[in-house]
Amino acid sequence: MRHPRVRVLRALLLLFPVLLALSACKRDQAGPDPVAAPSAEPAAMVDADEHSYAEPARVAIDDLALDLALDFDTKTLAGSATYALQWKDQTATELVLDTRALVIEKVDAEVDGGWQPLEFALAGADATLGSKLTIQAPRRPEKVRVSYRTSPDASGLQWLAPEMTEGGQLPFMFSQSQQIHARSWVPLQDTPQVRYTYSARITTRPDVMVLMSADNDPEATRDGEYSFSMPQRIPSYLMAIAAGDLVFKPISGRSGVWAEPSMVERAALEFADTEKMIAATEALYGPYRWERYDLLVLPPSFPFGGMENPRLSFITPTVIVGDKSLVSLIAHELAHSWSGNLVTFSSAKHGWLNEGMTSYVENRIVEALYGEEFSDMEWVIARDALKRDIGDMPEATQALAIRPGTPLDADDALSQVSYDKGAWFLHFLEERFGREAFDRFLRGYFDHFAFQSITTEDFLAYARQHLFDVHPGKVTEAEIDEWLYGPGIPAEAPQALSPRLGIVDSARLGWRGSKQLPPTQITSQWSTQEWLHFLEGMPETLPVAELEQLDQAYRFTGTSNGEIAMRWYPLAIRSGYAQANEAIVAFVRGIGRRKLIIPVYEALVETHDGLALAKAAFEQARPGYHPITTASVEKVIADARPSGDAAPAPAADAPAAGADAPAAADDGAASN
Ligand SMILES: [Zn+2]
């Protein structure tokens, strides 16, 4: 998943810190239980997933069939999940599933064509992992069925009242399963180490359209009963469902946009290049293997930029800005159809295999469609952000990968490092081996590991065999080691240069020196990326008069571009530019995408006045926020240590307000 490259913040997976705030790793609870099955396969999971109770070395879900009623009034999904099971350990007697806040009504096994009840136990809830569901299955049945219903506040679902949608007529709901929220709406082996096919029958009110990460029919008629099939094997975090007043607009024969009626035309225009992106990626890395590729535009409360749900990427509406300048988000989600969905990390420890690889592929797609000048701007912006932030991270979390056998606090599993240092490492390899050889290698990698979940060591072994050994002398073991396991950014990292951003630097410097704004014929050509760079190079605070000058010229306050807003408003807040307050409150009320609003909240809570404003704005905004966003904002407010009231415009270049203001505050808690 991801947000636009423009400024790469933390991964979607940073939703982990929210979830795992209490996190002592639950490794002991999650691993195979030696008492229950003394003869489990030796060395079952070399790389156990500490975020799941499942025991996939003993039994694995092969296929899932859902039959669920989706009820907006009770905010629940209720019905059954039927699993076709592959028993790997012939002494196993239990099926262990992950659940969170589910009501389990009964469990049956298929025996001789009929269903017979099985005994089960639902353990107490662990704050991070949810409740372990242990099903007694001593005869190792091929099919087990769990009848259940979800809780109205399932962590992976958001239910929106009609007034919280664009159209205001029909309710809306959507899922966000990554990283470990699928278990809040389906009992599952909720680990990327298990892949399965699925089908679903969903019933709901007849005026609502339902979509899933499956074979959505562009011609489907609304009748309240929908069937889905997903014949390609997916890991659980790619389970997805959405329902609402959704209509379809095609982009090409195999791709199109689903959105609310009032949004669909604009969305289809903004994302008109999607087919070109698919074709460009296929030319680089081989065929798209998921048949259709559609986009679903979610309400503004979607907490992330995008989520790569297979066949149907979920997309924030905040990238629809009218000039396609933020469509690298689409490139990112599409890229996941190769890196992530096709070749998947085996646990969040190997996050860079999903997100670093995807960020690299995303940049290649952007380059293929919009040219090197544009992709270079995106490299520079992402790397500047990483360089700014990495020094403030604990050293252990600055590494791309964890050496095998090293325990990891999941809090530290994924960050900007996975995305941007990961992409940078791959760019380094591309430079050393040459684009042709590296492209051939990557294409082979996607083929070789297609529909598998792998570790960093699997990648490394494959790279040794198919890249390093084939072209000896291009990289040293020490270099690879430093990239994967070392802190910081290696000295030999290739540097990106962007002449276009160089012009922006000159314009900003010129203005700071002379107060003369750059000529309109220059700035009128600027893309979002150039404006972001213009703002990012500003000092921590500016005199109010200078903010007024910028605002009069460029109308930053009230901008409909959230990427600009998330940079302008913190600067305005730190500088005591109270004229922006009303627009700031409107901004955080109207959008729930964490990456965009968390930096604004973080800037607000640094002063007593700002904290009061933040609390008031949050109270108003809260009913429209996703639970993930609510948790993030609550944390910012709870951690607030306001240092004083808004300074009356300190001198330019003054340090950030508040001694404890982290230098990376803009990025810190924000994710996608
Ligand atoms: Zn991603």
Side-chain angles (χ1 to χ4, degrees):
M1 60 204 120
R2 173 48 160 241
H3 53 84
R5 278 224 62 91
V6 278
R7 178 140 172 230
V8 179
L9 301 177
R10 290 201 189 179
L12 185 54
L13 291 172
L14 262 200
L15 106 115
F16 265 133
V18 178
L19 278 172
L20 303 186
L22 311 168
S23 152
C25 261
K26 303 299 187 292
R27 203 166 295 101
D28 48 333
Q29 298 173 28
D33 175 359
V35 178
S39 54
E41 286 176 15
M45 275 296 158
V46 188
D47 183 51
D49 181 352
E50 58 260 43
H51 301 122
S52 171
Y53 290 112
E55 303 169 352
R58 292 187 176 142
V59 54
I61 296 172
D62 196 42
D63 179 73
L64 163 71
L66 292 172
D67 190 346
L68 296 172
L70 185 163
D71 185 352
F72 284 100
D73 294 330
T74 58
K75 298 184 181 172
T76 57
L77 296 170
S80 65
T82 304
Y83 316 89
L85 298 171
Q86 214 187 348
W87 292 91
K88 298 175 179 172
D89 175 357
Q90 293 311 314
T91 66
T93 58
E94 294 175 348
L95 168 64
V96 177
L97 299 176
D98 295 299
T99 77
R100 186 201 306 283
L102 296 180
V103 177
I104 306 296
E105 274 142 15
K106 60 173 178 165
V107 180
D108 301 299
E110 196 182 46
V111 180
D112 303 328
W115 292 94
Q116 290 185 1
L118 292 180
E119 281 181 33
F120 65 92
L122 189 63
D126 176 271
T128 301
L129 298 177
S131 297
K132 176 181 185 179
L133 173 61
T134 307
I135 298 166
Q136 296 304 325
R139 295 173 60 192
R140 292 177 288 285
E142 280 175 22
K143 277 195 178 175
V144 167
R145 182 177 67 191
V146 176
S147 302
Y148 72 100
R149 69 189 137 85
T150 62
S151 143
D153 44 36
S155 62
L157 303 176
Q158 189 180 16
W159 300 84
L160 298 171
E163 55 272 21
M164 286 151 70
T165 67
E166 190 93 6
Q169 299 302 309
L170 295 175
F172 200 105
M173 71 82 71
F174 64 89
S175 65
Q176 170 56 41
S177 296
Q178 195 171 27
Q179 191 56 254
I180 53 172
H181 295 286
R183 65 189 66 176
S184 77
W185 63 283
V186 187
L188 279 170
Q189 290 179 308
D190 198 5
T191 165
Q193 296 175 0
V194 177
R195 307 182 76 100
Y196 54 89
T197 54
Y198 83 85
S199 61
R201 177 178 165 273
I202 309 287
T203 55
T204 188
R205 46 189 280 178
D207 52 355
V208 154
M209 177 61 73
V210 178
L211 304 171
M212 292 191 79
S213 52
D215 62 338
N216 300 293
D217 177 5
E219 322 248 285
T221 45
R222 285 190 206 192
D223 57 6
E225 187 175 340
Y226 305 92
S227 294
F228 303 91
S229 161
M230 185 51 168
Q232 287 98 0
R233 290 176 179 275
I234 60 161
S236 57
Y237 75 86
L238 297 177
M239 292 295 299
I241 186 168
D245 188 5
L246 292 166
V247 295
F248 181 77
K249 173 121 183 135
I251 290 170
S252 71
R254 59 175 165 172
S255 122
V257 176
W258 288 94
E260 287 194 62
S262 56
M263 174 67 89
V264 76
E265 296 289 338
R266 264 194 301 150
L269 277 174
E270 194 87 24
F271 305 141
D273 292 340
T274 302
E275 174 58 39
K276 284 184 207 154
M277 288 184 176
I278 304 172
T281 323
E282 288 186 311
L284 285 167
Y285 307 118
Y288 177 75
R289 304 192 195 213
W290 306 85
E291 300 170 44
R292 292 198 60 83
Y293 181 70
D294 295 321
L295 305 168
L296 168 63
V297 180
L298 290 170
S301 66
F302 185 49
F304 304 107
M307 176 64 211
E308 65 269 25
N309 296 315
R311 295 183 183 219
L312 184 70
S313 289
F314 284 20
I315 302 293
T316 174
T318 61
V319 292
I320 302 175
V321 290
D323 63 1
K324 297 185 183 173
S325 60
L326 299 179
V327 296
S328 52
L329 174 76
I330 308 300
H332 182 94
E333 304 312 330
L334 171 68
H336 272 305
S337 303
W338 284 261
S339 43
N341 297 4
L342 187 65
V343 182
T344 308
F345 59 32
S346 66
S347 81
K349 277 184 200 175
H350 308 280
W352 79 276
L353 287 176
N354 272 25
E355 298 301 348
M357 190 75 78
T358 291
S359 298
Y360 172 82
V361 172
E362 167 196 341
N363 195 272
R364 294 294 304 275
I365 299 171
V366 165
E367 184 193 313
L369 264 80
Y370 307 111
E372 225 171 308
E373 268 192 1
F374 196 87
S375 60
D376 281 345
M377 281 202 292
E378 302 232 289
W379 274 142
V380 169
I381 289 169
R383 289 174 190 177
D384 281 355
L386 181 64
K387 283 188 265 187
R388 251 195 323 270
D389 300 343
I390 198 165
D392 296 317
M393 301 176 183
E395 198 161 285
T397 66
Q398 296 178 24
L400 259 190
I402 316 293
R403 285 188 201 281
T406 312
L408 168 79
D409 188 324
D411 266 351
D412 304 333
L414 271 148
S415 72
Q416 208 177 346
V417 169
S418 307
Y419 286 85
D420 297 318
K421 190 173 171 182
W424 208 340
F425 170 51
L426 296 167
H427 195 205
F428 160 78
L429 294 179
E430 182 203 315
E431 290 223 337
R432 286 294 177 88
F433 290 93
R435 183 167 272 198
E436 205 191 317
F438 188 66
D439 285 357
R440 206 175 323 117
F441 159 74
L442 262 195
R443 186 176 176 149
Y445 164 83
F446 291 131
D447 281 342
H448 182 80
F449 291 112
F451 297 106
Q452 293 181 48
S453 300
I454 67 166
T455 63
T456 300
E457 292 66 46
D458 293 327
F459 168 86
L460 210 47
Y462 185 83
R464 284 210 172 89
Q465 197 183 345
H466 296 274
L467 192 63
F468 306 165
D469 294 352
V470 183
H471 309 277
K474 302 279 189 190
V475 294
T476 65
E477 280 296 324
E479 285 173 324
I480 298 296
D481 211 75
E482 190 189 1
W483 270 106
L484 287 176
Y485 305 114
I489 296 154
E492 69 275 17
Q495 296 306 312
L497 285 174
S498 165
R500 278 173 65 174
L501 294 183
I503 292 170
V504 175
D505 286 328
S506 307
R508 189 193 323 97
L509 275 172
W511 170 70
R512 300 229 41 237
S514 68
K515 304 306 158 215
Q516 290 291 309
L517 290 167
T520 321
Q521 59 265 41
I522 291 183
T523 53
S524 63
Q525 304 298 314
W526 282 2
S527 63
T528 299
Q529 284 70 14
E530 281 145 320
W531 286 112
L532 304 191
H533 191 68
F534 184 68
L535 288 173
E536 285 189 340
M538 293 292 175
E540 282 294 317
T541 62
L542 284 173
V544 166
E546 293 183 15
L547 291 166
E548 275 171 350
Q549 187 195 8
L550 292 175
D551 220 359
Q552 275 190 349
Y554 306 128
R555 309 253 168 249
F556 289 136
T557 300
T559 175
S560 59
N561 187 319
E563 292 285 344
I564 291 173
M566 70 165 278
R567 289 161 175 86
W568 173 250
Y569 291 144
L571 175 63
I573 292 162
R574 288 194 301 267
S575 307
Y577 183 59
Q579 293 94 313
N581 283 358
E582 205 178 308
I584 288 168
V585 171
F587 177 67
V588 300
R589 280 185 64 187
I591 292 177
R593 183 178 172 195
R594 293 196 310 175
K595 173 199 165 188
L596 301 183
I597 61 172
I598 293 296
V600 178
Y601 277 109
E602 285 177 336
L604 281 173
V605 302
E606 294 198 353
T607 66
H608 290 287
D609 285 355
L611 178 59
L613 189 64
K615 285 179 174 169
F618 179 48
E619 270 326 296
Q620 293 175 9
R622 186 187 195 121
Y625 282 169
H626 190 284
I628 289 171
T629 302
T630 300
S632 299
V633 178
E634 276 173 346
K635 186 170 189 317
V636 171
I637 290 177
D639 292 350
R641 286 185 298 277
S643 62
D645 290 320
D653 292 325
D660 57 353
D666 282 3
D667 294 354
S671 313
N672 301 5

